[in-house]
Amino acid sequence: MRKIRFKVYGLRFTVLAFVLLLAACGQQGRHAQTTDTVVDDYGRTVVVPSQPQRVVSLSPAVTEILFALGAQDLLVGRTDFCVYPDAAMDIPSIGGISNLNIESILALKPDLVISGSMVGKKVTDQMDAMGTPMVCVIEKPRFEALYDNITAIGCLVDKEHEADSLNKLLRNKIDNLSTYQPTNVSTAYYVVGFGAGGNFTAGGNTFINDIIRMAGGRNIAEGIEGWSYSLEALMKEDPDYIIVRREDSAAFCDMKPYNRLSAVKNGHVIGIVSGTLDLQVPRNIDAILYLRKRMNNK
């Protein structure tokens, strides 16, 4: 039995339940192994198959990374929110995330379930009690943790070499981006939630803040921790650019008082494809390039 330990840091649940994790993979060969032992984000020790054959993903980020690793043939189940890439839609869905149907998961006879930030420890414990190993690989505050998540998932599905290659490719892309310095740093605000329910954005302790910075912008909410942001602060800061999920862009621009923001008046509202910025996935680099082009005309 091989042991793989996911190093666990202090957990903090926010609106999007981002917590810390550092993943590491053992180096022993698999030829004589049938199971591995992992310690996941919740500090749970889980015995998992060394070469799983039937995997259910309960996270859009996990699903996307599995496809990026070439492990999509292992997937027998996903959630309604696992819609990228398009081929993921061909995989049976077990429904939503907040109201997980455990019976639907078990009906797929998985030998491994991988969950993410939106699945709590109570559900993982329920799965354990039913004899199905479930491992949590959670989105984390720093952009660089993307590489750790890729490594962790690669270890779980016997794709260590593919994970190493993907991380090398992504790091090379980031290295090529790092030499760019914008002439003028634009201020930006990322819309997570807006309207009567309150205003939510990504604070300084998020990988989204890192992406905005890497794109050459300055997040006006970089001084806060968590996700809640006051409407008064937004109107006062009046950022150069608003970044919002593409499907929410029109509603945001039409709603008072957001329609008084300079970014709205000047046509500086950037509608971004869902998943490229709000999930911790390889497409984050696409988000950096897109935001850089829109904010700095480069």
Side-chain angles (χ1 to χ4, degrees):
M1 178 181 291
R2 185 176 68 146
K3 291 185 178 180
I4 304 171
R5 184 169 185 83
F6 293 14
K7 297 180 183 177
V8 181
Y9 292 76
L11 299 178
R12 170 180 289 179
F13 284 88
T14 61
V15 172
L16 295 184
F18 281 46
V19 298
L20 292 173
L21 165 70
L22 179 62
C25 179
Q27 300 299 317
Q28 299 94 323
R30 284 185 179 272
H31 64 280
Q33 311 294 339
T34 58
T35 59
D36 297 325
T37 298
V38 303
V39 179
D40 76 356
D41 295 4
Y42 295 122
R44 301 161 51 254
T45 299
V46 187
V47 177
V48 299
S50 299
Q51 297 176 316
Q53 300 300 307
R54 299 181 62 82
V55 177
V56 170
S57 169
L58 303 182
S59 160
V62 169
T63 298
E64 184 168 336
I65 290 173
L66 286 170
F67 269 86
L69 293 174
Q72 62 270 21
D73 289 345
L74 301 178
L75 277 169
V76 296
R78 62 173 178 93
T79 73
D80 290 343
F81 299 97
C82 299
V83 296
Y84 183 90
D86 291 342
M89 300 295 288
D90 296 330
I91 299 168
S93 175
I94 53 85
I97 299 177
S98 60
N99 57 341
L100 280 175
N101 187 324
I102 294 179
E103 289 75 16
S104 295
I105 299 173
L106 295 176
L108 295 171
K109 299 182 178 359
D111 52 13
L112 177 64
V113 178
I114 309 176
S115 66
S117 301
M118 299 305 291
V119 177
K121 186 176 182 298
K122 181 178 179 180
V123 174
T124 63
D125 289 343
Q126 288 176 332
M127 292 295 293
D128 286 345
M130 295 182 180
T132 300
M134 184 170 179
V135 177
C136 303
V137 180
I138 295 178
E139 294 169 327
K140 307 157 189 74
R142 297 274 70 90
F143 172 85
E144 289 77 9
L146 168 63
Y147 308 125
D148 300 320
N149 277 7
I150 291 171
T151 297
I153 294 170
C155 288
L156 288 170
V157 296
D158 195 29
K159 294 286 186 180
E160 294 94 333
H161 296 304
E162 290 83 352
D164 289 343
S165 296
L166 178 57
N167 278 338
K168 183 177 180 180
L169 175 65
L170 296 177
R171 288 183 187 276
N172 286 339
K173 288 183 177 181
I174 291 298
D175 288 343
N176 291 333
L177 295 176
S178 62
T179 58
Y180 168 70
Q181 294 294 331
T183 304
N184 298 305
V185 177
S186 302
T187 56
Y189 176 83
Y190 174 57
V191 180
V192 174
F194 64 98
N199 293 279
F200 300 95
T201 189
N205 60 332
T206 65
F207 70 88
I208 296 171
N209 181 78
D210 288 350
I211 290 173
I212 293 172
R213 174 180 50 78
M214 295 165 76
R218 182 181 69 80
N219 178 13
I220 65 169
E222 64 183 359
I224 70 167
E225 291 189 5
W227 300 88
S228 182
Y229 199 74
S230 74
L231 177 60
E232 292 75 16
L234 171 58
M235 302 305 293
K236 180 180 178 180
E237 290 287 340
D238 197 19
D240 299 319
Y241 289 90
I242 295 292
I243 306 167
V244 60
R245 288 182 294 272
R246 189 168 291 175
E247 60 268 28
D248 295 333
S249 178
F252 181 88
C253 292
D254 290 341
M255 186 178 293
K256 296 179 180 180
Y258 309 112
N259 58 1
R260 299 202 303 265
L261 290 166
S262 297
V264 175
K265 293 179 180 179
N266 296 332
H268 288 173
V269 176
I270 303 173
I272 195 162
V273 175
S274 293
T276 58
L277 182 59
D278 49 353
L279 298 176
Q280 198 165 37
V281 291
R283 284 187 298 159
N284 288 163
I285 295 176
D286 296 335
I288 295 171
L289 290 170
Y290 181 65
L291 293 177
R292 176 177 294 185
K293 180 178 180 181
R294 291 293 306 273
M295 290 194 294
N296 300 292
N297 297 316
K298 205 174 162 65

